[in-house]
Amino acid sequence: MAEEIVAEIPEISPGIGTGVREATGVEPFSQALDRHGLSLVRGETATLQVNTGYLCNLRCRHCHLEAGPGRKEIMSRETMGAVVSFARRFPFRVVDITGGAPELIPDLPFLIEGLAPLVPRLMLRTNLSALNGAAKESLLALCIAHRVVLVASFPSTNPSQADAQRGAGVTETGIAVLKTLNAAGYGVEGTGLELDLVSNPVGAFLPVSQESAERKFRQDLLRKWGVSFNCLYTFANVPLGRFRTWLVRTGNHERYVKTLVEAFNPSAIEGLMCRTLLSVSWDGFLYDCDFNLAVGRPHGVRKVHVSDAHGLPPHGAPIAVGDYCYACTAGSGFT
């Protein structure tokens, strides 16, 4: 395992059951939709997101799943087999493997080899540090062989800011891994090996525009470290899990939630990823998104295991919402 690096159903609100006070004076997300004459319903399901578990070598401050080194919830080979069978039975254009840190799951190669022939686009999310070291060379080779798209978390080109969110030394390790990926062809024009970056704000504020952030990241990474990548995506932090705990502890929770509410963008609803995505938890149950998974709100009226699913969600099916959905509809939205 990579070295541990430590850093600091009716509609429900984030943090239910945690015993801490909610933000006050916040219009429920469902009412905000009604006020704008909107509804959040499913379109065509094109993406299968597979959460392989909460095991991670980091304890990032912004993690909505509270992933970390001590988590025991990981996807078994049996459940992976059920996921592969599901993807074989129903057409998906994209499969998105996430965690935790999927690189630490022992049977990840089994999952990649099973899914790669079934979809045009297979994505693997990485925190970079868990992909570090000689022990991961075979996994990288497997990703290259199957043209797996790597989506790497890299919050800031300022090492002190990034380390504050993810742990001391994480940026240095991440840059070393990015250089290794570039050397293998990832993020290099003409290779067909796609390397995308994801940046979350390092504090209780909204991200800058994706276009300006990508321009800055591209310039900084190339100038400082000679690193290249394909695309950058910026997302607001969702006030769930460890990030919510940090917000409450630092007295930022109510202000941050109200910031999200004030940034609500009705135009973002149409493009939200939950409209075209189906999420599978580490134990094989279906959810509308990874955030509903985090709060235990299953897709549909009851929990359904992937092995028991008889079809994809129908067009127009309602999506379970909570006040945390404001994070996905702030600004340009979580698409």
Side-chain angles (χ1 to χ4, degrees):
M1 183 185 299
E3 179 185 359
E4 176 184 345
I5 305 176
V6 179
E8 258 281 287
I9 312 178
E11 179 175 354
I12 60 175
S13 294
I16 289 295
T18 60
V20 293
R21 186 167 59 93
E22 298 301 321
T24 57
V26 171
E27 180 182 30
F29 185 77
S30 58
Q31 291 184 18
L33 292 177
D34 291 341
R35 182 164 52 82
H36 287 88
L38 298 169
S39 61
L40 184 53
V41 297
R42 300 196 65 92
E44 178 191 2
T45 302
T47 299
L48 179 65
Q49 186 172 68
V50 183
N51 192 306
T52 56
Y54 307 151
L55 176 64
C56 188
N57 61 309
L58 307 180
R59 288 196 186 98
C60 293
R61 188 170 66 196
H62 70 294
C63 184
H64 63 280
L65 292 169
E66 299 187 274
R71 300 303 295 262
K72 306 298 182 184
E73 305 92 334
I74 65 172
M75 185 171 282
S76 67
R77 180 178 280 247
E78 179 182 8
T79 301
M80 288 180 180
V83 170
V84 172
S85 177
F86 182 67
R88 186 177 294 116
R89 295 198 310 273
F90 303 106
F92 291 98
R93 291 196 288 274
V94 179
V95 171
D96 176 4
I97 301 175
T98 186
E103 309 96 310
L104 303 183
I105 307 303
D107 287 319
L108 178 64
F110 171 81
L111 184 64
I112 290 175
E113 290 174 339
L115 291 171
L118 304 179
V119 288
R121 182 177 176 85
L122 178 59
M123 300 164 52
L124 175 65
R125 295 180 184 258
T126 174
N127 67 22
L128 294 175
S129 64
L131 199 55
N132 187 42
K136 300 303 177 186
E137 290 179 0
S138 61
L139 177 59
L140 178 56
L142 181 67
C143 290
I144 293 171
H146 290 293
R147 321 299 281 181
V148 176
V149 176
L150 296 182
V151 182
S153 176
F154 198 86
S156 175
T157 58
N158 182 318
S160 62
Q161 290 181 352
D163 286 5
Q165 183 188 77
R166 306 180 71 196
V170 172
T171 304
E172 182 180 358
T173 300
I175 291 296
V177 174
L178 287 174
K179 289 182 176 181
T180 297
L181 295 177
N182 278 177
Y186 269 102
V188 178
E189 186 176 357
T191 65
L193 294 172
E194 185 175 341
L195 171 63
D196 298 328
L197 303 183
V198 171
S199 172
N200 294 75
V202 296
F205 47 85
L206 299 181
V208 299
S209 76
Q210 191 161 289
E211 182 180 354
S212 62
E214 181 174 294
R215 183 166 55 249
K216 183 179 189 307
F217 269 66
R218 199 175 299 282
Q219 293 172 348
D220 286 354
L221 286 172
L222 187 61
R223 175 175 55 84
K224 294 180 179 180
W225 298 291
V227 166
S228 62
F229 63 93
N230 294 99
C231 299
L232 174 81
Y233 301 99
T234 59
F235 299 122
N237 292 320
V238 179
L240 293 173
R242 193 174 293 123
F243 185 62
R244 185 186 187 284
T245 299
W246 177 81
L247 288 172
V248 172
R249 188 176 68 244
T250 58
N252 285 301
H253 180 249
E254 291 196 6
R255 181 182 62 80
Y256 182 71
V257 172
K258 289 177 181 178
T259 297
L260 295 178
V261 173
E262 291 168 358
F264 175 73
N265 177 12
S267 300
I269 298 295
E270 183 68 22
L272 291 181
M273 66 178 185
C274 59
R275 298 192 64 248
T276 58
L277 175 146
L278 190 62
S279 179
V280 184
S281 63
W282 66 272
D283 52 355
F285 291 94
L286 300 178
Y287 296 83
D288 288 314
C289 69
D290 206 50
F291 306 119
N292 280 354
L293 186 161
V295 297
R297 305 197 69 205
H299 164 72
V301 297
R302 62 181 179 86
K303 289 181 71 173
V304 175
H305 196 271
V306 66
S307 60
D308 298 323
H310 300 301
L312 298 179
H315 193 284
I319 295 171
V321 299
D323 291 349
Y324 48 87
C325 296
Y326 278 115
C328 295
T329 54
S332 59
F334 207 120
T335 57

Short mmCIF file of all heavy atoms in Angstrom, two decimals, residues 48 59 67 73 101 106 147 287 301 307 314 324:
data_model
loop_
_atom_site.label_atom_id
_atom_site.label_comp_id
_atom_site.label_asym_id
_atom_site.label_seq_id
_atom_site.Cartn_x
_atom_site.Cartn_y
_atom_site.Cartn_z
N LEU A 48 -21.71 4.49 -16.39
CA LEU A 48 -21.74 3.66 -15.19
C LEU A 48 -20.55 4.05 -14.33
O LEU A 48 -19.40 3.92 -14.75
CB LEU A 48 -21.66 2.18 -15.54
CG LEU A 48 -21.67 1.21 -14.35
CD1 LEU A 48 -22.99 1.27 -13.61
CD2 LEU A 48 -21.37 -0.22 -14.83
N ARG A 59 -6.17 11.29 3.59
CA ARG A 59 -7.38 11.72 4.28
C ARG A 59 -7.66 13.17 3.87
O ARG A 59 -7.54 14.09 4.68
CB ARG A 59 -7.22 11.62 5.81
CG ARG A 59 -7.21 10.22 6.36
CD ARG A 59 -7.45 10.24 7.87
NE ARG A 59 -7.32 8.92 8.47
CZ ARG A 59 -6.24 8.46 9.08
NH1 ARG A 59 -5.16 9.23 9.13
NH2 ARG A 59 -6.21 7.27 9.61
N ALA A 67 -13.03 8.90 2.98
CA ALA A 67 -12.11 7.82 2.64
C ALA A 67 -10.80 7.98 3.40
O ALA A 67 -10.41 9.09 3.77
CB ALA A 67 -11.85 7.82 1.13
N GLU A 73 -14.17 -0.89 3.73
CA GLU A 73 -15.17 -1.12 2.68
C GLU A 73 -14.50 -1.10 1.30
O GLU A 73 -14.19 -0.03 0.78
CB GLU A 73 -16.26 -0.04 2.74
CG GLU A 73 -16.93 0.09 4.09
CD GLU A 73 -16.27 1.12 4.99
OE1 GLU A 73 -15.06 1.39 4.80
OE2 GLU A 73 -16.96 1.67 5.87
N ALA A 101 -9.31 5.33 -3.23
CA ALA A 101 -8.20 5.21 -4.18
C ALA A 101 -8.33 3.84 -4.84
O ALA A 101 -7.91 2.83 -4.27
CB ALA A 101 -6.87 5.35 -3.47
N PRO A 106 -7.19 -4.61 -4.35
CA PRO A 106 -6.38 -5.73 -4.88
C PRO A 106 -6.85 -6.26 -6.24
O PRO A 106 -6.04 -6.61 -7.09
CB PRO A 106 -6.51 -6.80 -3.79
CG PRO A 106 -6.79 -6.03 -2.54
CD PRO A 106 -7.62 -4.85 -2.96
N ARG A 147 -5.97 1.49 -23.01
CA ARG A 147 -6.25 2.90 -23.31
C ARG A 147 -7.20 3.51 -22.29
O ARG A 147 -8.12 4.27 -22.60
CB ARG A 147 -6.83 3.07 -24.72
CG ARG A 147 -6.22 2.19 -25.79
CD ARG A 147 -4.74 2.45 -25.96
NE ARG A 147 -4.44 3.64 -26.75
CZ ARG A 147 -3.20 4.05 -27.04
NH1 ARG A 147 -2.15 3.38 -26.57
NH2 ARG A 147 -3.01 5.12 -27.76
N TYR A 287 -27.15 3.76 -7.14
CA TYR A 287 -27.44 5.11 -6.68
C TYR A 287 -27.46 6.04 -7.89
O TYR A 287 -26.89 5.73 -8.94
CB TYR A 287 -26.39 5.58 -5.68
CG TYR A 287 -26.36 4.78 -4.40
CD1 TYR A 287 -25.68 3.57 -4.32
CD2 TYR A 287 -27.04 5.22 -3.27
CE1 TYR A 287 -25.67 2.81 -3.16
CE2 TYR A 287 -27.03 4.48 -2.09
CZ TYR A 287 -26.34 3.28 -2.05
OH TYR A 287 -26.35 2.54 -0.89
N VAL A 301 -37.06 3.44 -5.36
CA VAL A 301 -37.80 3.41 -4.10
C VAL A 301 -37.18 2.46 -3.08
O VAL A 301 -37.52 2.51 -1.91
CB VAL A 301 -39.27 3.02 -4.34
CG1 VAL A 301 -39.96 4.08 -5.20
CG2 VAL A 301 -39.37 1.65 -5.02
N SER A 307 -26.63 -7.00 -9.40
CA SER A 307 -26.90 -8.33 -9.94
C SER A 307 -28.39 -8.59 -10.13
O SER A 307 -28.78 -9.51 -10.85
CB SER A 307 -26.30 -9.40 -9.03
OG SER A 307 -26.85 -9.33 -7.73
N PRO A 314 -35.47 4.39 -16.41
CA PRO A 314 -36.20 4.95 -17.55
C PRO A 314 -36.04 6.45 -17.66
O PRO A 314 -35.83 7.15 -16.67
CB PRO A 314 -37.66 4.58 -17.24
CG PRO A 314 -37.71 4.45 -15.75
CD PRO A 314 -36.37 3.91 -15.35
N TYR A 324 -27.37 19.25 -0.43
CA TYR A 324 -26.01 19.16 -0.95
C TYR A 324 -25.96 19.30 -2.47
O TYR A 324 -24.91 19.56 -3.05
CB TYR A 324 -25.34 17.85 -0.52
CG TYR A 324 -26.19 16.62 -0.74
CD1 TYR A 324 -26.18 15.94 -1.95
CD2 TYR A 324 -27.01 16.13 0.27
CE1 TYR A 324 -26.96 14.82 -2.15
CE2 TYR A 324 -27.79 15.01 0.10
CZ TYR A 324 -27.77 14.35 -1.13
OH TYR A 324 -28.56 13.25 -1.33
#
